[in-house]
Amino acid sequence: MLLHQLNRRHLITGAAALSATGATMNFGGAQAQTAIRWSTVLGSTHPEAQMIQRISAAIKDKTGGRIDVQGFPGGQLGSSAETVEMTIAGAIGLLCEGAAALGQFAPQISVIEAPYIWRDAAHMAKALSSPMMDEFNAILVARRGLRIVGSTYYGKRHLTTGNKAIHSAKDMAGFKLRVPPVDIFRAMAEAWGARPTPINFAELYLALSQGAVDGQENPLPTIQTAKLNEVQKYLVLTGHIITPRLIVANERVWQSIPAADRAIVAAAIKEGTTWHDTELSRQEQELIGTFKASGMTVIEPDLDSFRKPVLADLPKRFEEKWGKGRWDSIQAL
């Protein structure tokens, strides 16, 4: 823990100098090289971390080594909140993160991670390519110097439990549910009658194994990568959120990349996210069978019992945060 804190402090201390120059280094008079740190809390075997590796290799190849993107998976540089802070400071150049975690800076953006807002992945993709995202981006750049440079399909989020079979939302009464430390997820858990318990993702496996929480919710590939199925008995196919992940850049670092190289980086990100979404969808289709084979009990619950209390509460509760009429305009897409 102390080593992590020292590393994080060192990164932040050096952030201003790094971001001001685009982290450019000169090796004994050789061609300048720009080194960019790219962080994710997801583990090295998750498609997101593999995507970062693929994009990094493509960028290095197509720029002749001028741009060196260095991936840091598994929360090596800190928790979600810490790495958002470091990306704002410029110590991290690129970050994969959920929209809700960025909502403190641009409250409107958290709507894209709201439960039951998307009909399917295609509906989500349509919205993420609409002018709505340009509006969100302008706010993030102006307020915190963060720019959205890509997005991915993270998957459908499902519930897992350690020792209790959940067949409807009624079974969630008093259930200690791990949620990310963001208000929308807490409100969703409360609508189900559960007790929301925010825990950092890196600490989730231990919390589940020790019974600090009764269960959690995440997409299937994330459950597998983090090995949560080892400490969870039931997989409950709630599909309550179709989740995007955003690729966010520090604006100073992004703009410091020469225009021609920045175009190469943007093209590599686009190609990489296409690969990611295909791979993640493939894994989603296979993992239910994999979890069954590993001994998990898979439950198909009463979906309306989960959906109705959330839709009766959250759109009205967060209307001011998301913007009046925002929910309806997204539904109309």
Side-chain angles (χ1 to χ4, degrees):
M1 179 61 72
L2 178 58
L3 179 61
H4 165 70
Q5 290 173 341
L6 289 172
N7 287 342
R8 177 171 168 269
R9 190 177 302 120
H10 174 72
L11 283 170
I12 294 176
T13 301
L18 286 169
S19 60
T21 63
T24 299
M25 302 172 288
N26 189 280
F27 301 99
Q31 187 177 40
Q33 181 188 54
T34 299
I36 301 173
R37 298 183 182 93
W38 189 339
S39 176
T40 174
V41 297
L42 300 180
S44 60
T45 60
H46 190 278
E48 183 168 283
Q50 295 173 345
M51 174 194 73
I52 293 172
Q53 288 183 328
R54 294 172 70 96
I55 294 173
S56 174
I59 291 171
K60 193 169 186 177
D61 176 59
K62 293 178 181 178
T63 64
R66 291 187 302 276
I67 309 295
D68 180 22
V69 176
Q70 304 163 355
F72 292 87
Q76 293 178 43
L77 300 183
S79 67
S80 288
E82 290 169 340
T83 52
V84 168
E85 175 188 343
M86 285 188 280
T87 306
I88 292 170
I92 293 172
L94 288 163
L95 174 69
C96 290
E97 190 50 80
L102 302 172
Q104 58 183 311
F105 312 121
Q108 302 93 324
I109 200 172
S110 63
V111 71
I112 68 174
E113 205 167 17
Y116 304 111
I117 195 166
W118 308 120
R119 294 186 295 274
D120 50 34
H123 180 208
M124 183 187 76
K126 185 176 182 180
L128 294 182
S129 62
S130 73
M132 176 182 71
M133 293 304 292
D134 296 332
E135 173 192 342
F136 294 159
N137 222 351
I139 296 171
L140 281 173
V141 170
R143 293 182 180 176
R144 285 297 184 272
L146 298 176
R147 176 176 295 275
I148 301 167
V149 296
S151 62
T152 60
Y153 169 65
Y154 188 43
K156 288 185 177 180
R157 300 181 79 104
H158 300 288
L159 179 70
T160 67
T161 78
N163 51 30
K164 183 178 182 180
I166 301 291
H167 295 279
S168 75
K170 291 181 180 179
D171 297 327
M172 297 292 291
F175 186 92
K176 290 186 293 183
L177 178 65
R178 179 270 172 180
V179 295
V182 292
D183 54 2
I184 295 173
F185 284 81
R186 287 194 291 266
M188 176 187 70
E190 290 167 354
W192 290 339
R195 293 167 55 192
T197 308
I199 294 175
N200 287 329
F201 185 76
E203 301 166 357
L204 179 53
Y205 183 97
L206 184 61
L208 291 169
S209 66
Q210 294 182 342
V213 287
D214 299 319
Q216 63 87 49
E217 51 78 52
N218 259 304
L220 301 179
T222 303
I223 294 169
Q224 181 195 45
T225 302
K227 300 181 180 181
L228 303 183
N229 54 301
E230 294 179 353
V231 289
Q232 296 282 269
K233 181 177 180 180
Y234 297 100
L235 170 63
V236 189
L237 300 177
T238 48
H240 48 276
I241 298 177
I242 300 176
T243 308
R245 292 272 286 180
L246 300 178
I247 302 173
V248 181
N250 173 279
E251 176 70 353
R252 295 186 301 277
V253 172
W254 184 254
Q255 296 300 336
S256 73
I257 302 172
D261 284 344
R262 193 163 62 242
I264 291 173
V265 174
I269 288 174
K270 184 175 182 180
E271 183 177 341
T273 56
T274 298
W275 173 87
H276 170 281
D277 292 358
T278 300
E279 173 62 17
L280 195 134
S281 296
R282 182 192 67 78
Q283 290 190 16
E284 275 193 311
Q285 293 172 9
E286 297 178 353
L287 280 173
I288 293 177
T290 300
F291 289 144
K292 282 183 178 179
S294 71
M296 290 190 86
T297 299
V298 178
I299 297 173
E300 296 186 15
D302 177 357
L303 296 179
D304 280 346
S305 72
F306 286 90
R307 183 186 297 109
K308 288 180 178 179
V310 171
L311 292 180
D313 178 32
L314 267 66
K316 292 179 181 177
R317 186 193 298 198
F318 291 99
E319 182 177 45
E320 184 176 348
K321 178 175 183 174
W322 293 335
K324 188 173 179 61
R326 177 83 67 187
W327 180 280
D328 291 337
S329 67
I330 290 175
Q331 295 301 300
L333 287 173

